[in-house]
Amino acid sequence: MATHTTTPPARLSDAAVIPLRTLDPAAALDDLEWLDEAIGDARVVAIGESAHYNRESYELRHRLLRHLAERHGFGAYAMETGFTEGWRADAWVRGGGDRLGEVMADGLTSLMGLWRQMGAHLEWMRGHNASAERPIGFHGIDLGGHNASLIPALDAVLAFLAHADHGFEADPAVRETASAFAATSPFAAPATMAAYAQLRPETGNALTAGLAGLAARMRGRRLEYVRRTTTEAYERALRSLRHALTLDSVIRGMTGGDQRSVLYNRDAEIAGTVEEILRGHDRIVLAAHNAHVQRGPAVLPGMDPVTPLGLHLADRLGEDYLVIGVTSGTGHMLNADAAAFMAGALFAPMPAPEPGSLDALMHACHDGPFAADLRRLSPADAGAVRAAATQRAGLGAFYAPVNALEAYDIVVHLPHVTGADPDEAALACSPPEVREVFSRYASGRAAPRHT
């Protein structure tokens, strides 16, 4: 008797598709009512993205935060940007007096704040907080210093110690060494790594020992420091110091070729930061790349799987952790060609999704943006998702392996994505090398088309 095999469908059924009427953050929220039941009692709702700096990803997160804050009382937005620098953005959304352009340039790291869509998101948070009974806090979760400089975190620690530990003088060589490879932007990171690599081994070891000594001192004198300052000030300074220590190990790993340890250490530290933020809020929205938030191993080109933030949080929070993955269709994405990026081509054309990928499956389902709740699929639809074994990773043509049914609870598909719009006020407050690269990008965008 002949046997028959069933080929999973190349698209989801109409019943699995939840259309999103718009991505406009200011629009009515009734098309998101399905999310009310979907999130349940989750305390952390993570929203991914397939690549950084896309307009549509910023708008989706803005709109989802608005819904979760207004309908469900979520009180914090925790984003993949520097933890210490994020204090400035948090102060601004709570009514602080800085100029928004300065906050976007200095209160967010790794170019995350230099876009009009992010500025609009911060402005909405500030407006919401002006009248809300429960304000929304802004929190960075990443290592800061554009993942290349210890100075922001270290300076925050030294400033705290100046108030909490009168008479104590940290070894000036610690900051002096850290200053020798301080990056002012991601564009300066290659020079930073080269400068670190030129340090004498004993100098690098002394820096690591100095940071460890500061950490031991802070932990040992916790009660004294809290009495002289506040618990919040102490915890923030200690977390900044933890980030400095982790970033020190990351820079060692990057210059020494141990990329896997870099990823392991960074995401473990980010997970601890999210947990600390959660201690101060009932419910938080977490925004980071799919590769960070997914509930499954992360893979980069040429590397074995590593443990991302999402696996740590899933292990610690269980059902209190809900993940919304984001797939994309066509358009433009962050340019993976470093030389072209530095020349001002910040975004590159993105071809249609690779056949057999999660992005391709989703792209075949609906013309506009939509969501699919992976926990409520029919057996046939679940089989189709299970058969989609890769996802676009935002690194050029690279597709990472994924088990979407384990990695995500919900997937939102963006059928066409574009580069976000640079914010002139934020760029005016940015370092010269950032303004230079973005000026090339602006010139390229403004150039007339020739036929």
Side-chain angles (χ1 to χ4, degrees), residues 83-84 87 152-164 214-215 218-219 225 229-245 269 276:
F83 171 76
T84 304
W87 302 350
L154 181 57
D155 279 354
V157 172
L158 295 176
F160 172 82
L161 290 173
H163 289 284
L214 289 176
M218 284 196 65
R219 287 192 295 266
Y225 289 174
T229 59
T230 66
T231 300
E232 180 184 12
Y234 171 81
E235 295 294 346
R236 292 208 308 183
L238 183 60
R239 177 59 58 179
S240 287
L241 185 50
R242 288 181 58 95
H243 279 219
L245 279 161
E269 189 61 49
E276 184 169 298

Side-chain angles (χ1 to χ4, degrees), residues 172-299:
V174 173
R175 193 184 189 284
E176 181 180 342
T177 301
S179 298
F181 58 96
T184 54
S185 75
F187 301 123
T192 293
M193 296 302 163
Y196 182 88
Q198 294 300 313
L199 292 178
R200 298 171 60 186
E202 55 267 32
T203 302
N205 292 340
L207 171 62
T208 301
L211 293 172
L214 289 176
R217 186 177 186 90
M218 284 196 65
R219 287 192 295 266
R221 290 165 172 76
R222 177 187 182 278
L223 295 180
E224 294 178 15
Y225 289 174
V226 167
R227 186 171 63 250
R228 295 169 187 166
T229 59
T230 66
T231 300
E232 180 184 12
Y234 171 81
E235 295 294 346
R236 292 208 308 183
L238 183 60
R239 177 59 58 179
S240 287
L241 185 50
R242 288 181 58 95
H243 279 219
L245 279 161
T246 301
L247 183 53
D248 178 60
S249 76
V250 162
I251 294 171
R252 279 179 176 265
M254 292 181 70
T255 56
D258 185 4
Q259 297 294 327
R260 291 193 73 214
S261 290
V262 167
L263 298 173
Y264 272 118
N265 296 350
R266 178 187 173 200
D267 273 55
E269 189 61 49
I270 293 175
T273 302
V274 172
E275 280 196 293
E276 184 169 298
I277 294 168
L278 190 59
R279 285 198 287 270
H281 299 276
D282 292 334
R283 311 181 84 178
I284 69 176
V285 173
L286 170 62
H289 194 282
N290 286 338
H292 289 299
V293 301
Q294 67 186 29
R295 198 190 291 103
V299 179

Side-chain angles (χ1 to χ4, degrees), residues 11-187:
R11 66 182 301 279
L12 300 178
S13 68
D14 291 342
V17 173
I18 307 170
L20 303 182
R21 185 179 59 252
T22 179
L23 295 177
D24 181 359
L29 299 172
D30 53 293
D31 63 327
L32 295 179
E33 289 180 351
W34 60 272
L35 192 57
D36 299 337
E37 180 180 359
I39 64 169
D41 297 324
R43 295 191 64 203
V44 177
V45 172
I47 308 170
E49 61 182 355
S50 57
H52 291 321
Y53 318 134
N54 281 125
R55 170 205 292 261
E56 292 75 14
S57 296
Y58 279 114
E59 291 177 339
L60 174 67
R61 288 170 170 177
H62 182 167
R63 194 158 191 260
L64 291 180
L65 174 65
R66 181 184 155 215
H67 179 88
L68 294 171
E70 293 180 357
R71 303 285 183 91
H72 299 278
F74 278 66
Y77 185 69
M79 181 179 174
E80 185 185 344
T81 189
F83 171 76
T84 304
E85 293 90 339
W87 302 350
R88 187 170 187 177
D90 183 58
W92 191 85
V93 301
R94 295 177 186 273
D98 286 344
R99 293 184 299 161
L100 178 56
E102 295 173 344
V103 172
M104 294 168 69
D106 299 330
L108 291 91
T109 62
S110 302
L111 311 182
M112 292 293 186
L114 301 185
W115 313 94
R116 292 178 191 171
Q117 287 73 29
M118 189 66 229
H121 196 170
L122 294 173
E123 287 183 303
W124 176 83
M125 292 175 68
R126 183 179 171 102
H128 173 87
N129 288 345
S131 57
E133 290 185 12
R134 181 177 296 179
I136 301 170
F138 180 93
H139 300 270
I141 60 172
D142 214 344
L143 302 182
H146 313 287
N147 289 323
S149 174
L150 304 180
I151 290 298
L154 181 57
D155 279 354
V157 172
L158 295 176
F160 172 82
L161 290 173
H163 289 284
D165 201 338
H166 303 298
F168 171 70
E169 295 184 7
D171 182 355
V174 173
R175 193 184 189 284
E176 181 180 342
T177 301
S179 298
F181 58 96
T184 54
S185 75
F187 301 123

Side-chain angles (χ1 to χ4, degrees), residues 428-444:
C429 299
S430 298
E433 70 271 14
V434 174
R435 297 198 300 271
E436 181 180 354
V437 172
F438 271 77
S439 70
R440 300 183 195 124
Y441 175 57
S443 298

Side-chain angles (χ1 to χ4, degrees), residues 317-396:
L317 300 177
E319 293 183 357
D320 280 342
Y321 182 60
L322 182 136
V323 190
I324 301 175
V326 178
T327 55
S328 54
T330 58
H332 284 76
M333 67 190 303
L334 180 65
N335 199 333
D337 184 329
F341 185 90
M342 292 295 289
L346 304 185
F347 299 93
M350 183 171 65
E354 185 177 272
S357 67
L358 181 64
D359 301 78
L361 173 69
M362 300 292 284
H363 197 55
C365 296
H366 187 65
D367 292 336
F370 73 95
D373 189 335
L374 303 189
R375 302 163 303 174
R376 292 171 171 82
L377 297 178
S378 69
D381 287 332
V385 173
R386 189 176 295 109
T390 62
Q391 66 179 352
R392 178 175 270 145
L395 297 168

